[in-house]
Amino acid sequence: MSVHIARARPGLPLAVDRAAVEPLSAQLVGQLRTAMRDGRLRAGERLPSSRALAGELGVSRTVVTAAYEQLYAEGWLEGRHGSGTFVADVRADVEVDAHVDVRSDGQADVRADVPADLRAGVEGGGHADAHADRPAAEGRVVSPMIDLRPGAPWAGALDTPAWRRAWRLAATVPPVTRPGSYGLPRLRAELANYMRRGRGIGCPAERVLVTRGATNGLDLLAATVVRPGDRVGVEEPGYSDARSVLAARGAKVVPCPVDEHGLIVDALPSDLRLVYTTPSHQYPLGGVLPVPRRQALLAWARRTGALIVEDDYDSEFRYDVAPLPALYGLDPDVVVYLGTTSKSLTRDVGVGWVVARPELIEGMAVRREQLGDRTAVVPQEAVAILLERGDLDRHVRRMRAEYARRRALVVDLLDGFVLRGDTAGLHVVVELPAHVAAQVVGDAARHGVRLDPLERHYAEPAGLSGLVIGYGSERLSALRTGCSLVRESILRPARPPFPAG
Ligand SMILES: Cc1ncc(COP(=O)(O)O)c(C=O)c1O
């Protein structure tokens, strides 16, 4: 074999081909330059040491050193004395610094040097409700919330030529073709490929039902298989929307405890109709369900006749190792897979999908007709176009680098505290005593920073307390402001719980 492959970091393969005429160092220069140009390697990212990369590629260290020197000379890289080789900020992408002050009336205010786009509330804009208090019209009073609640991605990066082209083309498709309750065939086929590429699932398009998102998929499943009074399991702590959707369909929701690895399979009751779980990245604590527990979970489902609902909401974003393949791939008969573009694009696109065994897909499609439930056709076309052209994969790669930077900043600013689930997704949990968490939430709110208490994710009295900090939807400067404030507030001496005297 003359091709040697290495990774500058997870998700960025580099390869050298000894049989090619181009010198090895030039091959490396070309690949690294392209990765920096198209954003897969972002300003500030650290490259592997020349020794490590040379070892991985099976080339001499001089090859890598020569490549790095060339890129230094071109201004793509910068070295920080004694600390390694970093991607330089060649695009001088000027950061907007939102300075949050507190006015005399206790309301947060933004200093006048914040640009109009931020004042108009267009920064980030990912949370469906979270940013609703940012006025859209210019000239109105500014409510400069920094929103560190979890759930939303960075929608600011979507406005690209590829995104605009997809929506333009989607809108030109004549609206005579009804997609049907299964979804557009073209999109179903693309999603099946996407699953194969990214999640190790080999499923035919017929097993894919297009939905408006993971929650819509869960609702359709519940409407199809749950009878009033059926007991259904939801991870505890877990996704509260999953609980409410299931309860609204008449199910009796049973909290199923998790630990740092995810769902505790041994504690599952044997009389559940289904269990909702997030094995790739437990929401919100962040565990990755280990293989033996995956097998035990599948065995439990086989034994009890229950369905496993796998919500794979943010598996695109892992920063340490490649994610484990989806649980669905291990036993497609007992697992129902929920996918969504809510994290990879934005919730506002309103496109997700379910992968399940054929009769469930059929049952859900029929039920959906009865309920008048459908996914709009233009978003389906747009997502199909983004997938066909590779634009969604490119966007995800770019965002993975971007979120890795944000995550690094948050982890750095919260260094010394107990963090959970910080190697994947768009949020991290900071464990804190309940009274400290409450104090921090209050302090932050007075300074215009919105935080999410961990307790909110429990159906029963909380086992753990702290904060769930989302770093997807705010830019670095706002994250820095918000997390510094959190840090200061945690370290501030506690106030007495009641007014003294
Ligand atoms: C655990 C979990 N699942 C799914 C979603 C997304 O759901 P939907 O696709 O319905 O927007 C979220 C969004 O915050 C989530 O936290």
Side-chain angles (χ1 to χ4, degrees):
M1 267 291 280
S2 62
V3 177
H4 285 256
I5 297 180
R7 296 196 302 178
R9 55 152 172 70
L12 180 63
L14 297 170
V16 289
D17 183 355
R18 289 182 183 286
V21 272
E22 195 182 21
L24 298 179
S25 62
Q27 293 180 32
L28 217 45
V29 167
Q31 289 169 41
L32 286 167
R33 205 192 279 124
T34 308
M36 289 184 277
R37 192 177 284 133
D38 69 20
R40 279 175 297 148
L41 277 175
R42 299 292 299 239
E45 270 196 75
R46 186 195 191 124
L47 291 183
S49 70
S50 54
R51 188 191 305 276
L53 188 55
E56 276 197 74
L57 285 167
V59 298
S60 84
R61 209 173 147 196
T62 5
V63 169
V64 180
T65 316
Y68 280 9
E69 273 171 6
Q70 173 71 30
L71 291 165
Y72 269 121
E74 292 176 11
W76 287 102
L77 296 180
E78 61 186 19
R80 291 179 204 156
H81 191 67
S83 61
T85 305
F86 295 81
V87 178
D89 196 357
V90 286
R91 284 184 250 192
D93 186 6
V94 181
E95 279 254 321
V96 177
D97 245 313
H99 298 281
V100 179
D101 291 343
V102 178
R103 299 197 307 244
S104 55
D105 60 1
Q107 294 295 303
D109 203 353
V110 170
R111 288 215 315 241
D113 55 350
V114 177
D117 66 340
L118 183 62
R119 279 186 261 130
V122 296
E123 186 206 23
H127 286 273
D129 60 335
H131 293 179
D133 49 355
R134 289 179 171 185
E138 277 207 89
R140 283 165 51 192
V141 179
V142 178
S143 175
M145 299 308 289
I146 292 178
D147 203 324
L148 300 187
R149 291 176 299 169
W154 172 238
L158 282 172
D159 189 21
T160 58
W163 169 262
R164 284 195 294 272
R165 181 177 54 218
W167 287 92
R168 202 172 50 245
L169 290 174
T172 61
V173 175
V176 286
T177 39
R178 282 192 66 201
S181 30
Y182 294 89
L184 282 180
R186 170 187 188 192
L187 178 58
R188 295 171 79 199
E190 282 301 327
L191 288 170
N193 286 333
Y194 187 63
M195 293 285 83
R196 191 171 304 116
R197 282 198 301 281
R199 303 303 292 121
I201 293 179
C203 67
E206 293 70 42
R207 284 198 172 206
V208 180
L209 177 89
V210 180
T211 64
R212 291 190 302 281
T215 321
N216 178 227
L218 180 64
D219 184 42
L220 290 175
L221 178 72
T224 310
V225 303
V226 171
R227 284 163 313 205
D230 275 358
R231 283 162 55 83
V232 300
V234 173
E235 290 173 337
E236 172 80 347
Y239 185 37
S240 60
D241 286 5
R243 253 180 246 129
S244 46
V245 156
L246 290 164
R249 290 287 174 194
K252 163 98 184 63
V253 177
V254 179
C256 299
V258 306
D259 61 15
E260 71 273 25
H261 303 296
L263 189 64
I264 303 174
V265 177
D266 287 346
L268 284 176
S270 55
D271 61 347
L272 301 182
R273 177 69 190 100
L274 59 85
V275 64
Y276 163 91
T277 180
T278 46
S280 297
H281 187 221
Q282 201 278 326
Y283 188 82
L285 296 183
V288 178
L289 201 67
V291 172
R293 274 207 209 171
R294 289 173 183 240
Q295 280 157 349
L297 180 59
L298 296 168
W300 167 85
R302 287 259 167 212
R303 195 169 61 246
T304 64
L307 286 171
I308 300 165
V309 183
E310 174 180 26
D311 181 357
D312 207 32
Y313 65 108
D314 68 1
S315 63
E316 286 94 346
F317 303 113
R318 271 215 85 81
Y319 315 113
D320 49 354
V321 292
L324 283 174
L327 192 61
Y328 175 88
L330 293 180
D331 196 340
D333 284 344
V334 296
V335 181
V336 176
Y337 177 99
L338 303 178
T340 183
T341 55
S342 284
K343 310 283 173 169
S344 56
L345 291 170
T346 156
R347 198 166 206 179
D348 297 335
V349 168
V351 170
W353 59 100
V354 176
V355 187
R357 58 181 199 240
E359 78 273 16
L360 279 177
I361 291 292
E362 202 171 312
M364 289 167 75
V366 170
R367 191 77 181 100
R368 166 176 237 199
E369 286 273 349
Q370 295 164 347
L371 296 170
D373 184 283
R374 65 180 78 85
T375 312
V377 69
V378 176
Q380 291 194 61
E381 291 281 3
V383 173
I385 293 165
L386 288 171
L387 281 165
E388 276 163 11
R389 294 173 171 251
D391 291 326
L392 181 59
D393 295 56
R394 258 189 297 282
H395 177 71
V396 164
R397 284 198 294 273
R398 222 175 21 244
M399 294 318 292
R400 198 179 289 135
E402 178 60 36
Y403 294 140
R405 286 173 77 196
R406 293 174 188 210
R407 171 205 162 266
L409 177 76
V410 172
V411 170
D412 191 40
L413 288 169
L414 299 177
D415 185 33
F417 304 123
V418 179
L419 300 184
R420 283 174 177 260
D422 65 320
T423 56
L426 310 180
H427 69 268
V428 56
V429 168
V430 195
E431 248 187 87
L432 296 168
H435 71 281
V436 176
Q439 171 182 303
V440 176
V441 171
D443 277 355
R446 280 188 292 281
H447 287 79
V449 177
R450 281 190 155 182
L451 294 173
D452 184 34
L454 178 55
E455 283 94 325
R456 197 181 66 75
H457 301 270
Y458 283 85
E460 295 189 327
L464 290 173
S465 52
L467 303 168
V468 186
I469 297 195
Y471 52 83
S473 67
E474 294 286 1
R475 61 174 73 219
L476 276 175
S477 52
L479 265 181
R480 197 175 295 122
T481 307
C483 289
S484 305
L485 210 134
V486 168
R487 180 177 187 85
E488 279 160 31
S489 175
I490 297 174
L491 295 174
R492 198 160 62 78
R495 274 168 288 175
F498 302 106

